[in-house]
Structure formats: structure tokens, C-alpha cells
Amino acid sequence: MSGIMKISDKEFYSLRSLILEHFGINIQEQKRTLLVVRLQKLLQAQGFKTFREYYNYLIRDSSPDRLHELIDSISTNFSFFFREHKHFDYLSKTVLPLLVERQKKRNSKNIRIWSAGCSTGEEPYTIVMLMLEFFGIEYAMWNAGVLATDISTRALKKAMKGIYSQDKIRHVPAGLNKKFFNKADEGKLVINETIRNNVTFRRLNLMKPTFPFKKKFHIIFCRNVMIYFNQQTRNDLIRKFHNVSKPGSFLFIGHSETLDTSRNLYKYVMPATYMRI
Ligand SMILES: C[S@@+](CC[C@H](N)C(=O)[O-])C[C@H]1O[C@@H](n2cnc3c(N)ncnc32)[C@H](O)[C@@H]1O
């Protein structure tokens, strides 16, 4: 089959509400063609002739595998190392020194960080690089890894491999790229073991009503994820982040995203950076 597959209004609205219900992703009318382009390869590979057939297949059996394939095809996984670098400057110069001070007073060596919507791993790996730079050899004495979660199995697999093309790495400060990457095939680079061993990747849907964490986080990164959600889903997510983080902890969101501070859960610190109340 060539060209773009046709999708009727009814097919589009049905798929759109299923995606909204399961993943929180709000597909706007103007993204209709993008949705078709992203899904048609999957449909063709599985022999579906129409979106109706595919939709019926999805709802007939609510097996997670079918939904995983769907989200793998439609999610936007764009990311790169040191994206929105002001966050990382702030992390190194302000947040980590502050947390270390606080934790020392408590006799604790824990720093719990969550990269929620980590995509292909550039964000959590950037955080670990900065922690290694910040702590130096003392890093081994801290319990300070990163939990990195995403809904997309495909993105997580790529993250765990840790192999990147040069364009993903171009914002890594000189010196750090030599230190933390090794050469891989086809001019690509692979993240080194030390960095990789300090990130735990897990599949997690941010739409879950509650998050399964026993201990609270000191820092949460959830950047360029809420942009795809509607206001209600964003508000719910902020409340859930609040529930799983410590008072005085930090929340970083994408620079094109906003957080409503009127509900007294978080206070503004600097652009796209908030402190939990
Ligand atoms: C554009 S990437 C952001 C990556 C990284 N945080 C950054 O800023 O570079 C957005 C990620 O959010 C993930 N995502 C979308 N909906 C999600 C959901 N309901 N639960 C978990 N992750 C989700 C997507 O799979 C995608 O990998």
C-alpha cells in the first residue's frame, strides 16, 4: 500500500479517546495526519486494512502488548544530552550542594532522583554525569542513582543500550564526552558502564492513579512530557508528584510547560523549576 491511509472522523475520535484514556496523551485535531503516519506502518505490518479494524482489535482484547505497540508507535521520544542546560547548571551549583548539606545534617547518604518520561535515556544519563562530576570519588559513598521511567518499551530498550549518534551528544561539555563515552560502530558513541550502572530503567505509565514508590524523591525531572497531556491530567500528575516527593524537594519541568502554583503544592524557583511545599 502506498500513500497515506484514510482515517474517518469516527475512527480518529475513537482512537484519540482510547489514547487519552490509557496514556493521557491528548492528540489535537491538527495532529491527525501525524497520527496516521505514525500508525500506518504498524497497521500495514499487521495486515489491517482500515483504522476501524485496528481499533476493534485493540478493544477486543485489552492485552497490554497491543497497547504497548500502539504507544511505541505514537509517542514522541525526542531528547538529547544536556537539553535545557540551565536546569543542569542549577542542579550542580545549587540543588546538589543544598541536598548534601541537608542530608549530612540528617546523617543520611540518600539522594533519590526520578527522571519521569526519560525517553531514550539522555536525561537520566546527563544527571548521573553531573553527579559524578559533583561528588568525585565521594560518589561511591552516596546512595544517589537515578530511577528513569517511560511508557515506551522501545525508548527504554534504546536507553538501556546507551548508544547515541553524535548529534545527541553535541551539547555535552568538552571533556565530559571523552570521559563518559566510548566509541561504538558507525561513528556512534556508547555511554560508559559507570554512568549506565547508576540508572535504573523501568516501564511506568504516569497515568497510574498512584505511584508504587516506598521512599520519597528529592528531585523529580518531568520535562517535555506534560506538554502532551490535558490540564486535568497535568494537575493530577502534579498532585501525584507531590505525594511521592519530600518537602523542599525540586521539580523540573520543560521550559515550554507551566505549573499552576495557586494550589500551594509547589513554589516557583526559576523558569521551569519548582520547590515542593
Ligand atoms: C519528548 S520525550 C521527553 C524526554 C526527556 N524528558 C527530555 O525532556 O528530553 C517525552 C516522553 O514522555 C513519554 N510519555 C508520554 N506519555 C507518557 C505516560 N503516560 N507515561 C509515561 N511516559 C510517557 C514518551 O514515551 C516520551 O518518551
Side-chain angles (χ1 to χ4, degrees):
M1 203 184 293
S2 61
I4 294 184
M5 280 175 78
K6 290 212 162 40
I7 188 165
S8 69
D9 285 352
K10 193 165 175 224
E11 288 167 338
F12 175 65
Y13 296 135
S14 315
L15 266 173
R16 183 163 89 159
S17 21
L18 185 130
I19 292 165
L20 184 66
E21 181 196 338
H22 286 277
F23 311 114
I25 297 173
N26 185 23
I27 301 193
Q28 314 272 353
E29 184 65 48
Q30 65 267 30
K31 295 281 167 75
R32 189 193 274 241
T33 312
L34 183 66
L35 179 74
V36 171
V37 169
R38 286 186 172 177
L39 276 181
Q40 83 174 21
K41 233 164 107 186
L42 177 70
L43 266 71
Q44 287 168 356
Q46 301 198 358
F48 295 108
K49 298 233 163 24
T50 63
F51 280 94
R52 169 62 40 201
E53 271 179 36
Y54 176 61
Y55 177 76
N56 288 340
Y57 157 85
L58 284 176
I59 58 164
R60 207 166 38 237
D61 169 356
S62 57
S63 100
D65 286 353
R66 295 182 182 188
L67 291 171
H68 289 183
E69 276 174 353
L70 169 66
I71 189 69
D72 274 349
S73 302
I74 61 164
S75 63
T76 300
N77 304 122
F78 178 73
S79 189
F80 55 90
F81 283 85
F82 283 84
R83 182 179 194 180
E84 301 180 4
H85 68 92
K86 287 197 175 134
H87 277 158
F88 298 114
D89 294 344
Y90 190 71
L91 177 71
S92 297
K93 293 188 185 130
T94 306
V95 176
L96 289 175
L98 188 84
L99 286 180
V100 165
E101 192 73 10
R102 272 191 210 158
Q103 295 305 77
K104 277 186 177 160
K105 280 189 195 144
R106 292 183 180 131
N107 251 333
S108 166
K109 289 282 187 191
N110 290 329
I111 295 189
R112 288 178 48 80
I113 305 179
W114 179 17
S115 164
C118 65
S119 188
T120 38
E122 293 88 335
E123 181 178 277
Y125 287 143
T126 301
I127 300 169
V128 174
M129 278 182 200
L130 289 175
M131 286 206 288
L132 280 171
E133 285 299 285
F134 176 80
F135 285 107
I137 50 166
E138 275 199 28
Y139 184 70
M141 278 141 59
W142 286 81
N143 185 9
V146 177
L147 172 70
T149 65
D150 202 280
I151 184 94
S152 163
T153 319
R154 182 178 42 113
L156 288 169
K157 276 191 187 147
K158 198 155 186 278
M160 284 185 257
K161 278 195 183 143
I163 299 174
Y164 298 96
S165 54
Q166 301 277 353
D167 63 312
K168 298 285 180 192
I169 291 161
R170 57 170 202 271
H171 298 286
V172 177
L176 297 195
N177 46 7
K178 288 208 179 67
K179 202 163 168 183
F180 295 127
F181 291 92
N182 298 315
K183 287 201 168 106
D185 293 342
E186 298 163 6
K188 293 187 175 169
L189 294 163
V190 57
I191 195 92
N192 80 16
E193 284 292 303
T194 316
I195 304 284
R196 198 200 308 247
N197 291 343
N198 282 289
V199 180
T200 304
F201 289 102
R202 290 279 180 276
R203 189 174 186 285
L204 178 82
N205 187 349
L206 293 171
M207 289 291 284
K208 269 177 96 79
T210 53
F211 296 137
F213 307 124
K214 290 200 187 89
K215 291 186 183 154
K216 302 207 169 191
F217 292 97
H218 299 97
I219 305 172
I220 297 177
F221 280 78
C222 185
R223 307 184 311 157
N224 308 300
V225 179
M226 283 189 279
I227 198 170
Y228 304 106
F229 296 165
N230 64 23
Q231 198 52 49
Q232 183 58 50
T233 306
R234 288 177 197 163
N235 290 346
D236 292 346
L237 187 55
I238 296 299
R239 188 183 39 73
K240 290 185 280 181
F241 283 153
H242 189 265
N243 287 343
V244 296
S245 53
K246 297 207 173 254
S249 62
F250 290 86
L251 172 65
F252 295 98
I253 64 173
H255 279 84
S256 58
E257 296 162 327
T258 48
L259 191 153
D260 172 14
T261 49
S262 65
R263 290 178 310 140
N264 291 330
L265 298 179
Y266 285 90
K267 71 174 184 216
Y268 176 88
V269 176
M270 63 169 211
T273 307
Y274 297 83
M275 188 186 273
R276 183 204 186 279
I277 296 169

